[in-house]
Amino acid sequence: MLNFRLIRHLYLFTIVAQEGSIGRAAERLGMSQPPLTEHIKTLESNLGTVLFHRSKSGVQLTSTGQRILPKAQLFVQQMMTLQQEIDDVLKGVNHTIRVGAITQSMTQMLPRLMDEFGKRYPDTKIIVQEINSAGATALLADGHIDVALVRAPLDGHQAVGIRSIPIKNDTLCAVLPKSHPLAQADTLKLSTLAQESFVMHKRSVSPKSFDEVIGACKSVGFEPKIYAETTSAVAQIAMVSCSELVALVPESLANFAGDSGFIPLTDDDGKPIIITAIVLLSRQDDDAVQAFCQMVLDGRQGD
């Protein structure tokens, strides 16, 4: 039989651990400190161990508390997910699709997709969370998400029963500070930027797209000098606006450029440099997920 008091105690334990203070945790929970303190003491008594070191400055996890916390957080999250799924069933929602997406997908593709899918499948709920491309395959394999709209991740997705379909290619562009002498050009040969200093997203964010850009540079005779790294392509563009650095990003991000120069790039023969912008990754075990993926594929020509 489920011990509902223990479930509540574990939830309160995770909040106190996150806040590092009984007072801040109580304020966050909308309760007074004495009852919260008693809940924690009761949990410690039931478990037969001390979970926190108390001091005037707050609380710190004991070694036992540190070991228990990740498991407690996972358990609490599972219970919250179960509660949400029960609520959805009572509201007539029969399916839930969890979509992981990078910023570009969230701003450019998902609003239209969610609107169209919601009209066609009103009994299906879509939950979106922001992820980075490198983590997409693991999240899919572990069942944390059902679909990913990301830049090309590391190869190997086929080994874990996940399909991968490129759904959007793009022209590689340079983002230049507005004061740069080339900022007003219509197009540029990538090789003309060989002496520039670059801001790139970290390779760990999307290894394959990082390697694609580096490969494009090498193909025209140089390896970019990387002076700064960010956690997304959008952040690369933002960095250009407040520095003298240059970014190399997909053309579809042009609306984030603001006053910066945003110029399509070509190889030395004048041909546009094409990169993979967005890849659809999905698990293949759910009809609702496959219906969503088919809508993505049907609409890719319009994006």
Side-chain angles (χ1 to χ4, degrees):
M1 181 179 294
L2 283 174
N3 185 333
F4 291 102
R5 290 188 64 196
L6 176 60
I7 293 172
R8 176 160 176 76
H9 289 158
L10 287 172
Y11 169 67
L12 297 176
F13 162 65
T14 64
I15 300 301
V16 173
Q18 289 172 14
E19 295 295 334
S21 163
I22 295 286
R24 287 196 297 272
E27 183 177 354
R28 174 176 166 183
L29 292 162
M31 62 190 298
S32 60
Q33 292 187 44
L36 179 56
T37 299
E38 285 303 312
H39 279 298
I40 298 302
K41 288 181 177 179
T42 300
L43 177 61
E44 291 177 323
S45 176
N46 289 341
L47 296 178
T49 188
V50 177
L51 299 173
F52 293 104
H53 294 301
R54 278 83 167 173
S55 69
K56 291 182 179 180
S57 60
V59 295
Q60 288 186 323
L61 288 166
T62 62
S63 58
T64 301
Q66 290 173 358
R67 292 181 61 187
I68 291 175
L69 180 61
K71 296 179 177 62
Q73 289 173 322
L74 177 60
F75 176 72
V76 168
Q77 183 59 52
Q78 290 172 335
M79 293 302 296
M80 293 175 70
T81 299
L82 175 60
Q83 180 65 62
Q84 184 61 61
E85 290 179 355
I86 291 171
D87 291 344
D88 288 342
V89 169
L90 295 177
K91 293 175 182 176
V93 175
N94 295 323
H95 303 282
T96 299
I97 300 174
R98 296 156 299 173
V99 180
I102 59 173
T103 303
Q104 181 182 350
S105 301
M106 293 173 71
T107 58
Q108 297 180 358
M109 298 178 61
L110 280 175
R112 176 185 59 78
L113 283 168
M114 291 178 67
D115 182 59
E116 291 183 8
F117 194 84
K119 292 175 181 177
R120 193 176 301 181
Y121 302 96
D123 64 341
T124 299
K125 180 178 180 179
I126 298 176
I127 299 174
V128 179
Q129 67 181 81
E130 185 176 13
I131 63 172
N132 65 47
S133 299
T137 298
L139 290 171
L140 284 161
D142 293 341
H144 295 302
I145 60 174
D146 303 302
V147 179
L149 292 167
V150 295
R151 301 192 194 287
L154 285 169
D155 292 329
H157 36 263
Q158 293 88 350
V160 291
I162 295 167
R163 69 170 180 169
S164 171
I165 303 174
I167 59 170
K168 187 175 178 62
N169 290 329
D170 225 335
T171 301
L172 184 65
C173 291
V175 188
L176 304 175
K178 62 180 180 180
S179 59
H180 194 287
L182 298 175
Q184 301 304 316
D186 292 326
T187 62
L188 284 174
K189 291 183 177 180
L190 178 56
S191 56
T192 63
L193 302 177
Q195 301 305 313
E196 300 289 343
S197 299
F198 292 88
V199 53
M200 293 280 290
H201 66 70
K202 296 178 180 178
R203 187 177 185 277
S204 59
V205 171
S206 179
K208 197 163 185 177
S209 65
F210 181 96
D211 293 345
E212 206 170 21
V213 172
I214 298 297
C217 294
K218 289 181 177 180
S219 71
V220 296
F222 76 97
E223 185 159 353
K225 298 186 288 289
I226 301 173
Y227 278 74
E229 292 184 321
T230 68
T231 57
S232 71
V234 173
Q236 286 177 256
I237 298 174
M239 182 73 78
V240 171
S241 68
C242 58
S243 71
E244 296 301 314
L245 301 176
V246 172
L248 302 174
V249 301
E251 187 174 23
S252 53
L253 295 180
N255 58 319
F256 292 100
D259 293 335
S260 300
F262 199 93
I263 301 107
L265 294 169
T266 70
D267 60 21
D268 287 340
D269 295 326
K271 297 178 180 177
I273 297 175
I274 305 300
I275 59 172
T276 304
I278 301 293
V279 171
L280 168 70
L281 301 175
S282 71
R283 290 162 48 191
Q284 305 177 55
D285 56 0
D286 185 280
D287 290 342
V289 170
Q290 295 312 309
F292 180 83
C293 292
Q294 189 58 53
M295 184 170 287
V296 173
L297 298 178
D298 291 344
R300 58 183 161 180
Q301 297 302 322
D303 286 314

